[in-house]
Amino acid sequence: MGVTCFSQEFTTSVSPSRMFKALVLESHNLIPKIVPQGIKSIEFVEGDGGVGSIKQTNFPEGGHFKCLKHRIDAIDTMNFICKYTLIEGDIIFDKLEKVVYEVKFEASSTGGCVCKMTSEYHSKGDVELKEEEIKQGKDKAMGLYKVVEEYLVANPDIYA
């Protein structure tokens, strides 16, 4: 099994606590509400959102994917860090064992935050992942972060 690692980050004017609440703690409520064309629902199929919980993301019918399942491995609400693993889904799982993510929201000197994400793609056997395959997922994640950022900027009382 090979492991391919990627890191990405972006800066926002939104505070770390609000981004963490929106993208980690309340994502199951917020994301389907603000991007219903992309995500039908997010639900806990095991647990209540704490460590060990399994979260299932369901996509609208007619799309490329049906669902994904993530396991929450660690949540640090004081330091705005979440670690989770993509354990099931119809996204390149013929080539992958799992994808492990760590997301951090760090305060910036401008009053907002820097959102940092690292991803470890664990491939099956000696399968090599193509950069285009991984780039699509990274771009979608960053697009979602930007939509959440825009929503929080437009609604300053949400998760304040």
Side-chain angles (χ1 to χ4, degrees):
M1 172 174 54
V3 178
T4 305
C5 299
F6 290 96
S7 295
Q8 56 193 19
E9 64 181 59
F10 80 93
T11 303
T12 174
S13 62
V14 179
S15 72
S17 65
R18 289 184 69 216
M19 289 296 287
F20 184 78
K21 285 177 190 170
L23 284 164
V24 176
L25 301 179
E26 291 293 325
S27 63
H28 59 288
N29 293 319
L30 179 65
I31 304 293
K33 180 174 132 180
I34 64 172
V35 288
Q37 71 284 4
I39 296 179
K40 181 178 170 184
S41 65
I42 301 174
E43 58 198 12
F44 291 104
V45 293
E46 284 184 35
D48 60 0
V51 172
S53 295
I54 308 282
K55 204 190 288 196
Q56 180 170 307
T57 302
N58 300 301
F59 299 98
E61 289 185 31
H64 297 302
F65 312 113
K66 284 179 67 175
C67 69
L68 298 173
K69 287 186 182 176
H70 292 92
R71 179 187 64 237
I72 300 170
D73 300 318
I75 294 180
D76 181 342
T77 56
M78 298 299 286
N79 294 301
F80 312 118
I81 300 170
C82 181
K83 295 180 183 179
Y84 60 98
T85 303
L86 177 61
I87 57 171
E88 192 178 309
D90 42 11
I91 297 179
I92 62 174
F93 263 88
D94 55 326
K95 299 178 182 179
L96 292 174
E97 293 286 336
K98 63 184 176 185
V99 183
V100 179
Y101 300 94
E102 180 174 316
V103 182
K104 295 180 186 180
F105 301 91
E106 298 177 350
S108 68
S109 59
T110 60
C113 73
V114 178
C115 303
K116 297 180 178 184
M117 177 189 261
T118 58
S119 311
E120 293 178 0
Y121 292 79
H122 296 253
S123 60
K124 291 181 177 178
D126 58 357
V127 170
E128 283 196 38
L129 298 174
K130 294 186 174 128
E131 193 170 328
E132 314 85 69
E133 294 172 313
I134 293 171
K135 186 177 181 327
Q136 285 179 336
K138 286 172 49 177
D139 290 348
K140 285 184 181 182
M142 283 297 108
L144 183 60
Y145 278 39
K146 289 292 185 187
V147 169
V148 169
E149 173 192 28
E150 289 169 10
Y151 179 80
L152 293 176
V153 168
N155 297 278
D157 296 334
I158 303 281
Y159 307 126

